[in-house]
Amino acid sequence: MQTSSDRHEYPAHWEADVVLRDGGTARVRPITVDDAERLVSFYEQVSDESKYYRFFAPYPRLSAKDVHRFTHHDFVDRVGLAATVGGEFIATVRYDRIGAGGTPASAPADEAEVAFLVQDAHQGRGVASALLEHIAAVARERGIRRFAAEVLPANTKMIKVFMDAGYTQKRSFEDGVVRLEFGLEPTDRSLAVQYAREQRAEARSVQRLLQPGSVAVIGTGRTPGGVGRSILGNVGDAGYTGRLYAVNSAFPEDLKEIDGVPACRSVREIEGPVDLAVVTVPAERVPEVVTDCGEHGVQGLVVISAGYADSGPDGRERQRALVRQARSYGMRIIGPNAFGVINTSPRVRLNASLAPEMPRPGRIGLFAQSGAIGIALLSGCTGAAAGSPESPACRPSSPPATAPTSPATTCSSTGTTTRRPTSR
């Protein structure tokens, strides 16, 4: 945390989870004095080209003075934010308040210079755009009304981030550098840009959960019966079109298959990506499973395991910790204590749920907070469909003009459904 010599205490309300362009999540938070090692590690993973774009000169490493400057902030005239995944930096943004002639200043000066640096492996995910929204909100809170940024002409990606933000801008070119100046008051266009970005990101995020190319059922039993084994069977019986894996740390080392499905002792043993993990292990083992999934790059989790908010205050705190842990790795989560997810699209045919039968394909998507209601609706529709192909209870209606064109999906949860991460 910040030392007592700093002008303001750590602004915890600036922390937020954001959904990125590809549907993954990142944690945005202020940079503190405790982040020196993270900053150095982050900078070492940035390409020489990106470093050149940031500092306008070859800059292979940060000096001790740089590290001190970039980690010590007063949270008023100097602010730094980091986007993190798995606790590590993937991008940073900072502003420094300036006065006339671009010299360092304090309030009431209302202009600041802003600069970004994004790890190359995470460029193109919309990280810079999300950070710009957050640093602009922070700046407005601190009485700053305008940002100025100097960008090399060849740094077209960063120029596009600023130009696409929707703020009223002034652009000039001097001494081989593009200078952008823009007010931070929200405009109709900037608000529309922000809303559209969030909408696209959320849609991609849900798509990750409902259209996975590979699924691992973690906690699959060695013998028939049990939740994990049942879900594995449901996925297989539905004709899932992707790759399916059975995972259980208790599998013998010589066990290679369960019901014709590749068997592994850990998700780490799976070669290639895993898009969705269905977790059925006891609650006390879920944290280690989430760690394995996060470090393997799993994109989404469906946690069937009970023993969370359904079990009282202690369980509610375990649930909060689970959500924080999953988001720290950039994973979206349905659950815990979830009924599962179903996608009836012929291209996917996913029944990663406790429902023994798939519902009829159609244009209806169901998200239920209550598992009892979800099960009742699913059962009622299945029964009505069996009695009458044109039953009003299940007949797909024509979608509204603004409806998405994604395939019909059904999702039911007895715990928390997919929640939108807090975003200012």
Side-chain angles (χ1 to χ4, degrees):
M1 301 299 291
Q2 294 294 116
T3 65
S4 58
S5 62
D6 290 304
R7 290 169 52 189
H8 278 250
E9 295 182 357
Y10 178 82
H13 65 287
W14 291 352
E15 296 182 356
D17 293 312
V18 296
V19 185
L20 303 178
R21 183 177 298 153
D22 62 357
T25 63
R27 182 75 170 168
V28 174
R29 65 168 178 82
I31 298 173
T32 74
V33 297
D34 298 325
D35 289 319
E37 291 185 5
R38 291 186 184 89
L39 181 66
V40 171
S41 175
F42 159 72
Y43 195 76
E44 289 175 347
Q45 298 177 65
V46 175
S47 70
D48 290 339
E49 181 182 53
S50 293
K51 292 173 183 175
Y52 186 89
Y53 285 156
R54 171 64 177 84
F55 293 103
F56 298 0
Y59 217 90
R61 63 187 61 84
L62 296 175
S63 67
K65 184 178 180 180
D66 292 327
V67 174
H68 183 276
R69 177 190 172 203
F70 294 149
T71 56
H72 286 66
H73 305 102
D74 61 13
F75 302 129
V76 179
D77 299 328
R78 302 185 323 279
V79 172
L81 301 179
T84 68
V85 172
E88 300 302 317
F89 287 7
I90 65 169
T92 62
V93 62
R94 62 177 291 107
Y95 78 65
D96 293 90
R97 195 187 299 257
I98 58 174
T103 57
S106 298
D110 61 359
E111 184 173 3
E113 286 187 334
V114 64
F116 295 81
L117 187 59
V118 181
Q119 207 175 91
D120 294 67
H122 294 276
Q123 292 179 10
R125 302 184 64 199
V127 184
S129 296
L131 282 178
L132 179 58
E133 291 175 9
H134 282 259
I135 198 72
V138 167
R140 288 194 295 269
E141 182 180 322
R142 294 310 194 209
I144 292 172
R145 297 291 174 256
R146 295 184 307 279
F147 270 166
E150 293 187 344
V151 187
L152 290 174
N155 193 358
T156 55
K157 291 180 181 179
M158 191 52 62
I159 292 175
K160 181 174 174 57
V161 168
F162 289 120
M163 298 300 291
D164 289 350
Y167 295 109
T168 302
Q169 300 185 7
K170 182 172 72 174
R171 181 175 178 178
S172 59
F173 183 78
E174 186 176 350
D175 296 329
V177 174
V178 177
R179 182 175 176 82
L180 299 168
E181 299 178 35
F182 50 96
L184 299 182
E185 286 303 314
T187 65
D188 289 343
R189 182 165 177 264
S190 71
L191 293 174
V193 167
Q194 181 176 342
Y195 175 76
R197 183 192 68 77
E198 292 179 349
Q199 187 180 47
R200 288 193 299 268
E202 291 287 357
R204 185 70 180 100
S205 181
V206 173
Q207 185 182 41
R208 278 183 163 203
L209 294 166
L210 294 175
Q211 296 185 14
S214 54
V215 173
V217 181
I218 303 176
T220 301
R222 286 174 289 178
T223 58
V227 174
R229 190 67 175 268
S230 296
I231 291 178
L232 184 76
N234 292 343
V235 175
D237 292 344
Y240 173 57
T241 59
R243 300 179 303 279
L244 179 61
Y245 304 93
V247 179
N248 191 327
S249 60
F251 283 160
E253 292 188 6
D254 60 350
L255 182 66
K256 302 302 180 184
E257 289 187 353
I258 287 283
D259 296 336
V261 175
C264 304
R265 292 168 55 84
S266 168
V267 71
R268 297 173 185 263
E269 298 178 3
I270 298 174
E271 295 183 4
V274 175
D275 296 330
L276 182 68
V278 183
V279 181
T280 67
V281 301
E284 61 269 18
R285 288 195 50 220
V286 170
E288 66 180 89
V289 168
V290 174
T291 297
D292 287 347
C293 289
E295 294 183 354
H296 189 68
V298 174
Q299 297 185 346
L301 300 172
V302 175
V303 181
I304 308 295
S305 313
Y308 289 90
D310 55 292
S311 63
D314 290 343
R316 188 174 295 109
E317 183 52 41
R318 283 195 298 273
Q319 182 164 300
R320 293 192 183 105
L322 169 62
V323 173
R324 288 195 298 268
Q325 184 186 13
R327 288 181 178 172
S328 74
Y329 286 107
M331 295 185 290
R332 299 309 301 269
I333 180 172
I334 290 180
N337 197 17
F339 181 66
V341 294
I342 298 173
N343 187 343
T344 61
S345 166
R347 294 177 297 161
V348 183
R349 296 202 57 79
L350 174 66
N351 182 12
S353 78
L354 296 169
E357 297 181 13
M358 289 274 277
R360 291 177 62 199
R363 296 189 179 123
I364 296 175
L366 169 64
F367 289 79
Q369 180 74 13
S370 166
I373 292 177
I375 293 169
L377 285 170
L378 200 59
S379 176
C381 282
T382 301
S388 172
E390 295 300 322
S391 169
C394 288
R395 185 188 308 131
S397 60
S398 299
T402 58
T405 57
S406 56
T409 59
T410 302
C411 169
S412 176
S413 169
T414 58
T416 56
T417 56
T418 46
R419 299 188 205 171
R420 179 176 182 169
T422 304
S423 178
R424 294 182 304 105

